[in-house]
Amino acid sequence: MANLPLITCVLLALCSLSLAANVFISIDCGSSATYKDENGIVWTGDDDYISTGESRSVQPSNSYNRVMDTLRVFRNQSKHCYTINSVKQGRVLLRATFLYGNYDGKNSPPAFDLMFDSYYWAYVNNSGTTPSRYEVIYTTTKESISVCVSQYEADQFPYISALEVRSLDSDMYKGLGADKDIYPLFTRRRLAFGTNETIRFPADPYDRQWPVDGLPMKGTIRVSGNANLESGLTTDYPPPAVLRSAVTAATRNSTIQFNLALSTKFNSSVYINWYFSEVARLGPNDTRMFSFYKDNKPLSDPFSPPYENCTQKYISNMTLSANNSFTLVPTENSTLPPLVNAMEVFIIGDFPLDNGTQTQDVEGLASLQEAFRLLKNWGGDPCLPKLYNWDWVKCDGDRVTTLLLTGYGLSGPLPDFSSMTALHTINLSNNSLSGKIPEFLGLLPNLQILNLENNRFNGTIPTSLSNKKDLILRVSGNPQLCTSNSSCTTSVTSPKANSSFRTRKNILEMVFTTIVSSIIILHLS
């Protein structure tokens, strides 16, 4: 018989130290205000996290709450990203929320793509009157987090209402094992059984949202108690408020079957947590013991929920579909029916989170953005996820191979982006770039096409470019650029030199005229 992993709760005297969050950021998108909500959470506007898009408000008839009543809408360029810096590397919970609220009066909510860091997250299509929330738990690979929205179809303008980041303890949600710790966990559902209201911060220091089970499991009844519970009972730290309520089967011989809300179209690799804790002390003759069953086959040995403590069971990396079921089945000697307090269901990402575009290319692009203000609006990972790169770059995996900046209104000298050694095509035509053509361009090892036409470059073409074999070089339309011996001769003749030549010529003409005049006079006399 395959047993589910069992985590027996241990009360930790110092657990409060581990609950201290390194990052607890709440961004009200489209707002510029800072305020505290009814849960004691401080919200800030998004001006410090993004420079593109426009602030809008939902229609008054669609007002939901202060956070949801504003949103940021993006009407140009394909990819827009929030950047959250100074994030300590480690385990985080990231949550994005969307409410269309008919802000544009068209009654036509757009659909678009959502990403975080270098990973595709979700397809957002909220046509309802309540917010759509997307949550992911993962281990960061950098000291910053980016959350991006990208246009999916023409005239489908992305928007976002709220963005939240919460640090988690480093040991939380590690049931996948060390080899798969880098796979993200996408929250499918999280439920607190038996509660009357959603539990979140401050009851849960990590601000996980534990909503009431809107569709109670068939044949269950709600129970609650006042058990003396502390925080930090297991490695995933279920809050005591969640464990003080539960549901049980209606009769001693009844079972509890879970609705995992999985897709009917796909098989999913899942990570599921269940939490068990008695909400009241049992009588001397009472026993509660049951087993897990998957598709009517036993999956665990019998166990009993503890009082003023908890047992956590989980499955990880198991492929399931909507056709699979999990059931709690009482043992023959149990005098009480099964009981469960809470459940979390995660979809495991298809592949691990990586470090994104290589640092040397990111640094080169940063140099371009620093030199040209018009490029600063671009954020997030330049190349990843695949097919979601910046409009003016093309990539091969995690390397930038092409710069397409023709007609971008760039002016001034080119900065040094020699670290971008994978570049094979650079198109900087039809701008107002000036100064000398940098020598480093000819030293890029993979460069095959360089288009500098119709700019204001001057001086001579670097020998590193003129001697580069198989390079297609286009430089026409730069009047002050020396491209041949004749143009170099013309271009190096300075106005001062021409003036000196004209002066010497005038003196010789005057001398010649004087001599001729003297000869004529002598002859006449």
Side-chain angles (χ1 to χ4, degrees), residues 302-374:
F303 65 96
S304 298
Y307 177 66
E308 294 188 340
N309 209 321
C310 104
T311 291
Q312 176 182 342
K313 282 184 174 286
Y314 67 91
I315 63 170
S316 64
N317 205 29
M318 180 181 288
T319 300
L320 302 174
S321 71
N323 297 322
N324 297 118
S325 64
F326 287 93
T327 308
L328 298 179
V329 179
T331 62
E332 291 183 359
N333 61 342
S334 179
T335 64
L336 297 172
L339 169 148
V340 62
N341 306 76
M343 177 179 70
E344 296 176 287
V345 181
F346 303 96
I347 305 298
I348 302 173
D350 293 331
F351 50 88
L353 193 71
D354 57 33
N355 291 322
T357 301
Q358 286 200 19
T359 301
Q360 62 196 90
D361 289 343
V362 173
E363 291 174 348
L365 293 173
S367 297
L368 287 165
Q369 290 182 301
E370 186 65 28
F372 306 117
R373 184 180 299 272
L374 292 171

Side-chain angles (χ1 to χ4, degrees), residues 88-164:
K88 183 179 179 180
Q89 293 187 36
R91 207 75 166 152
V92 297
L93 180 152
L94 181 60
R95 187 163 53 229
T97 310
F98 304 85
L99 179 64
Y100 167 61
N102 196 26
Y103 77 88
D104 54 4
K106 296 181 179 180
N107 287 309
S108 180
F112 50 91
D113 289 325
L114 174 66
M115 292 147 280
F116 70 95
D117 293 348
S118 59
Y119 212 99
Y120 179 83
W121 190 347
Y123 177 67
V124 179
N125 186 12
N126 178 18
S127 58
T129 58
T130 58
S132 293
R133 291 186 176 89
Y134 299 84
E135 183 183 287
V136 61
I137 291 174
Y138 71 105
T139 300
T140 60
T141 59
K142 302 177 181 178
E143 292 185 352
S144 66
I145 291 174
S146 66
V147 177
C148 309
V149 291
S150 182
Q151 194 173 58
Y152 183 77
E153 295 179 353
D155 299 324
Q156 296 282 296
F157 301 124
Y159 67 92
I160 186 169
S161 303
L163 187 59
E164 300 163 88

Side-chain angles (χ1 to χ4, degrees), residues 14-321:
L14 299 178
C15 65
S16 59
L17 296 178
S18 66
L19 296 176
N22 301 109
V23 177
F24 197 102
I25 296 174
S26 306
I27 303 171
D28 183 349
C29 303
S31 172
S32 297
T34 297
Y35 59 92
K36 183 180 291 187
D37 69 10
E38 65 278 6
N39 297 304
I41 297 173
V42 176
W43 291 85
T44 61
D46 61 358
D47 294 338
D48 292 336
Y49 302 98
I50 196 165
S51 58
T52 60
E54 57 188 66
S55 299
R56 301 296 298 271
S57 299
V58 304
Q59 294 283 342
S61 58
N62 296 107
S63 176
Y64 188 83
N65 60 29
R66 182 171 182 176
V67 176
M68 292 295 104
D69 284 352
T70 59
L71 62 158
R72 183 168 291 272
V73 182
F74 306 96
R75 296 181 178 275
N76 54 25
Q77 75 188 50
S78 64
K79 184 176 178 180
H80 297 263
C81 300
Y82 282 78
T83 301
I84 302 170
N85 293 314
S86 301
V87 176
K88 183 179 179 180
Q89 293 187 36
R91 207 75 166 152
V92 297
L93 180 152
L94 181 60
R95 187 163 53 229
T97 310
F98 304 85
L99 179 64
Y100 167 61
N102 196 26
Y103 77 88
D104 54 4
K106 296 181 179 180
N107 287 309
S108 180
F112 50 91
D113 289 325
L114 174 66
M115 292 147 280
F116 70 95
D117 293 348
S118 59
Y119 212 99
Y120 179 83
W121 190 347
Y123 177 67
V124 179
N125 186 12
N126 178 18
S127 58
T129 58
T130 58
S132 293
R133 291 186 176 89
Y134 299 84
E135 183 183 287
V136 61
I137 291 174
Y138 71 105
T139 300
T140 60
T141 59
K142 302 177 181 178
E143 292 185 352
S144 66
I145 291 174
S146 66
V147 177
C148 309
V149 291
S150 182
Q151 194 173 58
Y152 183 77
E153 295 179 353
D155 299 324
Q156 296 282 296
F157 301 124
Y159 67 92
I160 186 169
S161 303
L163 187 59
E164 300 163 88
V165 185
R166 314 291 191 238
S167 286
L168 302 178
D169 188 87
S170 59
D171 292 329
M172 294 175 69
Y173 302 103
K174 291 295 189 73
L176 292 179
D179 58 329
K180 285 204 168 184
D181 178 45
I182 52 179
Y183 284 69
L185 299 175
F186 298 97
T187 306
R188 186 68 184 88
R189 68 185 324 192
R190 179 182 289 116
L191 295 173
F193 298 117
T195 61
N196 296 316
E197 59 183 5
T198 297
I199 295 172
R200 61 175 305 181
F201 184 86
D204 186 335
Y206 301 105
D207 194 32
R208 291 166 293 186
Q209 297 186 12
W210 304 82
V212 178
D213 187 5
L215 296 172
M217 292 175 288
K218 185 177 180 180
T220 61
I221 58 175
R222 295 179 177 180
V223 294
S224 61
N226 295 309
N228 183 21
L229 294 160
E230 297 186 24
S231 300
L233 295 176
T234 74
T235 55
D236 289 342
Y237 303 120
V242 167
L243 301 179
R244 292 191 179 102
S245 298
V247 294
T248 68
T251 63
R252 185 185 71 81
N253 295 321
S254 300
T255 63
I256 296 178
Q257 184 170 331
F258 296 98
N259 174 18
L260 302 182
L262 298 177
S263 172
T264 58
K265 298 180 180 180
F266 307 101
N267 291 331
S268 303
S269 184
V270 300
Y271 180 101
I272 307 176
N273 278 336
W274 289 276
Y275 301 98
F276 304 92
S277 179
E278 286 288 0
V279 297
R281 192 181 299 276
L282 300 185
N285 297 320
D286 291 330
T287 59
R288 193 192 307 275
M289 185 170 290
F290 48 89
S291 300
F292 254 104
Y293 278 66
K294 175 181 177 288
D295 299 334
N296 299 318
K297 295 181 180 180
L299 190 64
S300 77
D301 292 327
F303 65 96
S304 298
Y307 177 66
E308 294 188 340
N309 209 321
C310 104
T311 291
Q312 176 182 342
K313 282 184 174 286
Y314 67 91
I315 63 170
S316 64
N317 205 29
M318 180 181 288
T319 300
L320 302 174
S321 71

Side-chain angles (χ1 to χ4, degrees), residues 276-516:
F276 304 92
S277 179
E278 286 288 0
V279 297
R281 192 181 299 276
L282 300 185
N285 297 320
D286 291 330
T287 59
R288 193 192 307 275
M289 185 170 290
F290 48 89
S291 300
F292 254 104
Y293 278 66
K294 175 181 177 288
D295 299 334
N296 299 318
K297 295 181 180 180
L299 190 64
S300 77
D301 292 327
F303 65 96
S304 298
Y307 177 66
E308 294 188 340
N309 209 321
C310 104
T311 291
Q312 176 182 342
K313 282 184 174 286
Y314 67 91
I315 63 170
S316 64
N317 205 29
M318 180 181 288
T319 300
L320 302 174
S321 71
N323 297 322
N324 297 118
S325 64
F326 287 93
T327 308
L328 298 179
V329 179
T331 62
E332 291 183 359
N333 61 342
S334 179
T335 64
L336 297 172
L339 169 148
V340 62
N341 306 76
M343 177 179 70
E344 296 176 287
V345 181
F346 303 96
I347 305 298
I348 302 173
D350 293 331
F351 50 88
L353 193 71
D354 57 33
N355 291 322
T357 301
Q358 286 200 19
T359 301
Q360 62 196 90
D361 289 343
V362 173
E363 291 174 348
L365 293 173
S367 297
L368 287 165
Q369 290 182 301
E370 186 65 28
F372 306 117
R373 184 180 299 272
L374 292 171
L375 303 180
K376 286 189 174 182
N377 288 340
W378 292 90
D381 194 283
C383 292
L384 299 171
K386 189 178 181 181
L387 304 179
Y388 295 91
N389 49 262
W390 295 356
D391 287 357
W392 46 281
V393 305
K394 288 186 177 181
C395 303
D396 182 4
D398 61 356
R399 295 305 307 271
V400 178
T401 58
T402 302
L403 291 179
L404 297 174
L405 287 167
T406 181
Y408 263 68
L410 309 181
S411 61
L414 275 179
D416 185 350
F417 52 93
S418 57
S419 61
M420 302 178 69
T421 55
L423 284 172
H424 62 66
T425 300
I426 301 175
N427 190 342
L428 298 169
S429 62
N430 302 309
N431 286 292
S432 298
L433 298 169
S434 59
K436 294 184 178 181
I437 298 175
E439 184 80 26
F440 76 82
L441 292 173
L443 302 178
L444 293 173
N446 296 293
L447 190 62
Q448 301 172 16
I449 301 174
L450 177 60
N451 190 343
L452 303 176
E453 292 179 325
N454 302 318
N455 278 287
R456 299 175 182 175
F457 289 111
N458 57 44
T460 60
I461 296 176
T463 56
S464 61
L465 285 173
S466 57
N467 293 337
K468 194 174 182 65
K469 295 181 179 179
D470 301 322
L471 173 67
I472 299 175
L473 177 63
R474 298 188 176 99
V475 294
S476 63
N478 289 275
Q480 299 180 33
L481 182 66
C482 171
T483 58
S484 65
N485 289 335
S486 58
S487 63
C488 290
T489 301
T490 303
S491 63
V492 298
T493 303
S494 67
K496 183 176 180 180
N498 289 338
S499 175
S500 176
F501 174 77
R502 286 194 298 271
T503 301
R504 291 194 299 270
K505 179 181 177 183
N506 292 339
I507 293 174
L508 290 173
E509 287 177 349
M510 291 175 59
V511 171
F512 179 77
T513 301
T514 302
I515 294 173
V516 171

